[in-house]
Amino acid sequence: MNTNRQQNLAKSVKRYRIIAWIAVLICLLIIGKVVYVGTLKREYWMKVAEQKKVKEKPEPAERGNILSCDGRLLSGTLPEYDLIIDFSVCQEWRDSMWRADFPKICAGLHRIFPDKSEEYFRDRLQEGYDKKNKSWRIIKRKATFEEMTEVKRLPVFREPRLRGGFHEVEHTTRKKPFGSLASRTIGDLIWNGQPKCGLEQSFNKYLSGTPGKKRIRKVFDKTIPEIIVPPVAGCDIITTIDVGMQDLCERALLEKLKEINGNVGVAIVMEVSTGDIKAMVNMSKLASGDYAEIKNNAVSDLLEPGSVFKTASIMVALDDGVVDTTYMVDTGGGVWDMYGAKMRDHNWSSGGYQTISLPRTLEVSSNIGVSRIIDRYYGKNPEKFVEGLRRIGMGAPLNLPFKGAGKAQIRMPKKNKRGQYTNWYGTTLPWMSIGYETQVPPIYTLTFYNAIANNGKMVAPRFVKSVVKDGQVVKDFPTVVVKEKICKEKTLKEMQTILYHVVSQGLGKAAGSESFKVAGKTGTAQISKGRSGYKSGPMNYLVSFAGYFPADAPRYSCIVCIQKPGLPASGGRQSGAVFHKISEGIMAQSLKLLASDARTPDALLTPEVKNGNMLAADYVLAHLGVKTNEGWNGSYANGNPIWGKAESNNRMVTLTKGKAYAKNLMPDVIGMGARDAVYITETRGLKVTIYGRGKVYEQSIAAGSKIRKGQRCVIKLRN
């Protein structure tokens, strides 16, 4: 029995040894495999891991919109589309459809994209069809929402994706529906979506929103996105900009710049009571001779303001009580010696103004008169004059919401230990009093004049009213009062009267209007060339006009500044003329009459509407209560403007979208008003000459003709 037990034990040990050796062998194989994978096959398995790894990436938030004061889109994130067709699906069905509808498809695509011919689409589609490509782009550029909608109405493309193969891929892009209008004020984004300038930059924290987070799971050649944290869209900002006023200011300023060969032009319109900036134009001449907004000159230009500064000088003297409006000053023959330097009036060659009253010194903008008054009463104590300027708010900090905005530079006299002035000379005060020896951005000067119009209350310029999200106000930006009262009530009334007389009986007559009262001050200054002074090379001038209207019940203040080479240079005749067009245009736009007041029992209630911007026509007709046709497909999502034709009949107006012309083709402007006709042609780079009034009945370049930038087009109108 013991023998059997020993035999069984020997057999068991033998089996366990076999199992142990097998286990050892398996371990050695595993270790060998690990070494093999970790060395010889390491590169292969790292690639496999790369194909299957999971990444986390930020999911960008939709950027908020920038809107005008009445809610119109100034800058927004709008959709664009890649138009894709998959030629690999449903081939048998599509072969028959393709043969039958191919000509219609090509013709339809040419109608939607007129810059591409039918032959282009025939070759383009046939190439994709022959390759049986799964993601063939119908056109290489991105399409608008309107274009994409039109394409989806064509044969084959209107079929479901799994049947016809057509689908679109949406992208978002930043667009300015009004083109270059207020471009520098609104601002831009650079290539990576970061703000570059303007309100886009200043209010980026509200516009940008909060990025989300997504997980990208990569499995071989496919990526599977998964949103972990959804992004929060940015807020919209409601600006103070009025599109109509902005357009009016831009046109008036550009017309004068071209007429006098100006280098830089600025025009700003501010609402008196609120400080709202309704329009701000910054135009610079390019090497090509065209004009564009490339710098925010209105807030950044540090130039000597010239004679528009004289108003502040006289206000200080009146408010200090050293003079009154009956004060008389001798200006001689138009040339006066000021501490060894010659001070001249603009009419010095004809004998000057002789002895004139204090108000008259501003009416005729007498350099000698103003400088002699200030030098007489402040020459021995210039600190008191500069303190007076600060007291009336000239150069007060405005905290403008723009990167690079300038600040008024008004020098304060300084003395050394021996009581000698270190930054002040005999000529400093006389020349400072007439707008030299200081540097004031145009918007600071306008804020001062706006305070005079606002009965002495100085308010800061406001560019944004509020931040909104989903129709709810997130943050308000109320009007900021810089100074409750810039001067005594008596001083204010005297200055208001003098500024009105500058326009009604002085050098500012060109800025006036027969329909309402205007008050303001002209300005003409030589532009210093830095260390080279004023007399090296050709002379450049800054001509300005700053004022407000209507003078008896001020609603808006405005400043126009133009930098130009050579003579003639006149703030009244040149900048004042631009002010005149702006003020009259704004007052005409703001004239509100009820349509019902003009109706009689037998009156025709349907107005005649010109061809042109149908979106604008639809907006006006809706507010007049005039019915328009439904479904004409006019909306801001489709772009603005939308060009077309209008026809009045049976107490309604039918609006029809017109033919779209490529940028290198002359559009059809027959039947349009002057404003729309000039806009649509000038945006294509044409130089327009216009004759008559009413509707366009003749254009010198036929519709559909190829055009080149700078080409002259003559447009004739008649009623």
Side-chain angles (χ1 to χ4, degrees):
M1 190 165 182
N2 290 333
T3 304
N4 291 336
R5 191 177 293 170
Q6 289 176 351
Q7 288 176 352
N8 290 336
L9 182 59
K11 289 179 181 179
S12 297
V13 171
K14 185 177 182 180
R15 285 196 296 269
Y16 284 133
R17 283 177 179 172
I18 293 172
I19 293 171
W21 280 111
I22 292 173
V24 171
L25 181 60
I26 291 172
C27 289
L28 290 174
L29 289 173
I30 291 172
I31 294 170
K33 187 67 173 179
V34 170
V35 174
Y36 174 71
V37 170
T39 55
L40 299 177
K41 282 295 204 176
R42 185 177 185 279
E43 186 176 349
Y44 168 78
W45 287 109
M46 290 298 290
K47 289 181 179 178
V48 172
E50 181 68 24
Q51 291 177 330
K52 295 185 178 181
K53 72 180 184 180
V54 175
K55 294 181 180 179
E56 286 189 357
K57 290 186 176 181
E59 176 70 5
E62 182 178 342
R63 191 172 180 82
N65 299 319
I66 298 178
L67 307 173
S68 68
C69 62
D70 59 354
R72 287 197 266 183
L73 186 65
L74 297 176
S75 179
T77 303
L78 300 178
E80 288 186 332
Y81 301 88
D82 285 327
L83 305 182
I84 306 295
I85 188 165
D86 183 353
F87 284 105
S88 68
V89 301
C90 218
Q91 295 182 35
E92 184 177 345
W93 171 85
R94 191 174 47 237
D95 281 346
S96 59
M97 289 291 293
W98 205 254
R99 285 191 293 270
D101 294 320
F102 192 59
K104 293 181 183 178
I105 292 171
C106 296
L109 290 172
H110 168 62
R111 175 178 55 81
I112 298 167
F113 305 101
D115 55 324
K116 301 294 183 183
S117 65
E118 289 187 38
E119 290 76 14
Y120 169 85
F121 288 110
R122 189 178 298 117
D123 296 339
R124 178 82 184 155
L125 294 176
Q126 190 64 50
E127 182 182 353
Y129 181 82
D130 293 339
K131 293 179 177 179
K132 300 297 185 238
N133 192 288
K134 294 182 179 181
S135 55
W136 190 253
R137 295 177 67 180
I138 295 170
I139 188 169
K140 293 182 179 180
R141 73 168 174 84
K142 288 178 174 56
T144 64
F145 176 83
E146 183 183 28
E147 291 169 338
M148 182 271 293
T149 304
E150 291 290 325
V151 170
K152 292 179 78 169
R153 294 173 181 167
L154 297 176
V156 179
F157 299 134
R158 60 179 170 231
E159 301 295 333
R161 176 175 177 176
L162 295 178
R163 183 173 174 85
F166 173 76
H167 63 283
E168 70 278 0
V169 178
E170 182 176 327
H171 304 273
T172 56
T173 185
R174 202 69 173 167
K175 291 286 187 181
K176 294 178 182 176
F178 291 97
S180 62
L181 207 67
S183 179
R184 194 69 188 187
T185 305
I186 296 167
D188 294 293
L189 304 180
I190 54 180
W191 64 271
N192 62 354
Q194 292 302 307
K196 178 182 178 182
C197 58
L199 297 177
E200 291 275 18
Q201 183 180 55
S202 304
F203 290 83
N204 184 56
K205 68 177 181 179
Y206 298 108
L207 292 166
S208 60
T210 305
K213 189 181 292 184
K214 65 182 176 182
R215 180 182 292 122
I216 304 294
R217 191 182 302 277
K218 190 172 183 182
V219 180
F220 293 99
D221 61 341
K222 293 184 179 179
T223 56
I224 305 172
E226 176 189 359
I227 300 295
I228 305 171
V229 179
V232 179
C235 301
D236 298 337
I237 62 172
I238 308 296
T239 71
T240 60
I241 298 295
D242 183 292
V243 172
M245 293 187 192
Q246 180 74 30
D247 180 58
L248 172 66
C249 292
E250 187 170 310
R251 291 176 183 275
L253 184 61
L254 273 174
E255 182 181 348
K256 182 59 68 173
L257 285 171
K258 292 175 181 178
E259 176 189 325
I260 65 175
N261 191 32
N263 296 324
V264 178
V266 166
I268 318 172
V269 175
M270 179 187 287
E271 191 172 64
V272 168
S273 60
T274 63
D276 286 358
I277 300 299
K278 311 305 290 184
M280 188 161 76
V281 184
N282 303 274
M283 286 292 167
S284 297
K285 189 175 184 179
L286 306 178
S288 63
D290 296 324
Y291 291 87
E293 293 210 353
I294 60 175
K295 181 184 176 184
N296 204 339
N297 305 85
V299 304
S300 63
D301 274 1
L302 288 172
L303 296 175
E304 294 168 313
S307 297
V308 291
F309 194 85
K310 292 174 182 174
T311 302
S313 298
I314 294 299
M315 179 181 281
V316 170
L318 287 172
D319 208 47
D320 282 341
V322 296
V323 291
D324 59 26
T325 54
T326 64
Y327 184 86
M328 304 298 290
V329 57
D330 182 11
T331 66
V335 181
W336 200 276
D337 182 83
M338 287 284 185
Y339 302 98
K342 298 296 183 183
M343 175 80 73
R344 287 183 170 84
D345 278 338
H346 68 92
N347 67 337
W348 65 273
S349 59
S350 57
Y353 289 108
Q354 305 301 320
T355 300
I356 56 177
S357 67
L358 179 144
R360 191 63 179 167
T361 62
L362 288 186
E363 291 173 19
V364 297
S365 199
S366 170
N367 293 333
I368 297 173
V370 172
S371 62
R372 286 203 67 208
I373 292 172
I374 300 303
D375 186 60
R376 177 176 179 181
Y377 292 102
Y378 298 96
K380 295 181 179 179
N381 188 10
E383 295 90 343
K384 184 178 180 182
F385 176 71
V386 177
E387 288 168 357
L389 291 175
R390 292 178 176 178
R391 185 183 69 245
I392 66 173
M394 176 55 75
L398 301 181
N399 300 315
L400 300 173
F402 297 101
K403 187 176 181 180
K407 296 180 180 180
Q409 306 293 321
I410 300 176
R411 190 191 319 175
M412 172 61 79
K414 294 181 181 179
K415 293 181 179 180
N416 58 24
K417 295 180 180 179
R418 291 175 292 179
Q420 298 171 324
Y421 286 113
T422 59
N423 65 340
W424 207 261
Y425 307 96
T427 57
T428 301
L429 184 62
W431 262 262
M432 175 184 281
S433 68
I434 62 172
Y436 292 94
E437 303 276 350
T438 61
Q439 294 180 319
V440 184
I443 199 163
Y444 279 77
T445 302
L446 177 61
T447 301
F448 170 70
Y449 277 84
N450 190 82
I452 297 174
N454 197 27
N455 289 320
K457 179 185 286 189
M458 178 174 284
V459 293
R462 182 169 65 160
F463 293 86
V464 173
K465 291 182 177 180
S466 60
V467 177
V468 298
K469 181 69 178 293
D470 300 325
Q472 301 296 317
V473 175
V474 175
K475 184 176 177 60
D476 267 321
F477 293 92
T479 297
V480 175
V481 178
V482 179
K483 289 185 74 70
E484 281 290 345
K485 207 71 174 176
I486 62 172
C487 62
K488 298 172 185 174
E489 190 67 26
K490 179 175 179 293
T491 305
L492 180 67
K493 297 302 180 186
E494 290 171 342
M495 290 307 307
Q496 289 174 338
T497 301
I498 292 172
L499 292 179
Y500 168 63
H501 287 160
V502 169
V503 177
S504 62
Q505 58 195 37
L507 297 182
K509 288 182 180 179
S513 171
E514 295 181 358
S515 304
F516 51 89
K517 294 180 179 179
V518 174
K521 180 69 184 75
T522 61
T524 305
Q526 298 176 359
I527 298 178
S528 172
K529 298 180 176 64
R531 292 183 178 179
S532 301
Y534 298 91
K535 298 181 179 180
S536 61
M539 182 59 63
N540 291 324
Y541 291 87
L542 174 67
V543 294
S544 309
F545 187 91
Y548 52 89
F549 58 93
D552 47 356
R555 294 174 59 189
Y556 300 103
S557 59
C558 176
I559 188 170
V560 177
C561 303
I562 299 175
Q563 298 176 40
K564 68 175 297 290
L567 296 171
S570 168
R573 290 193 300 272
Q574 292 167 341
S575 292
V578 178
F579 184 101
H580 165 79
K581 287 190 175 182
I582 292 173
S583 61
E584 292 226 321
I586 289 175
M587 293 301 290
Q589 285 182 359
S590 63
L591 181 64
K592 296 181 179 178
L593 300 175
L594 295 175
S596 57
D597 294 342
R599 294 177 180 172
T600 60
D602 58 344
L604 182 64
L605 300 183
T606 306
E608 180 183 0
V609 182
K610 297 174 183 177
N611 298 339
N613 186 351
M614 294 296 96
L615 194 58
D618 186 49
Y619 176 84
V620 173
L621 291 170
H623 281 69
L624 290 175
V626 178
K627 185 179 180 181
T628 60
N629 55 306
E630 297 180 359
W632 71 276
N633 204 29
S635 70
Y636 280 99
N638 296 334
N640 181 45
I642 295 175
W643 304 110
K645 299 181 182 297
E647 183 178 353
S648 303
N649 52 51
N650 297 327
R651 294 181 177 267
M652 74 173 285
V653 177
T654 302
L655 305 177
T656 308
K657 181 188 169 188
K659 180 180 178 181
Y661 289 88
K663 288 293 186 181
N664 64 337
L665 299 179
M666 177 67 191
D668 183 6
V669 299
I670 301 299
M672 291 187 183
R675 176 173 175 168
D676 283 343
V678 171
Y679 176 85
I680 194 174
T681 47
E682 285 192 343
T683 54
R684 283 169 160 78
L686 293 173
K687 295 184 181 297
V688 182
T689 301
I690 192 166
Y691 297 102
R693 61 177 60 188
K695 293 182 180 179
V696 178
Y697 73 92
E698 183 180 324
Q699 57 187 79
S700 62
I701 303 175
S705 302
K706 285 191 174 181
I707 56 177
R708 66 180 185 279
K709 189 173 183 180
Q711 187 176 352
R712 176 69 60 180
C713 178
V714 178
I715 294 176
K716 297 181 180 179
L717 300 90
R718 64 185 175 195
N719 292 318

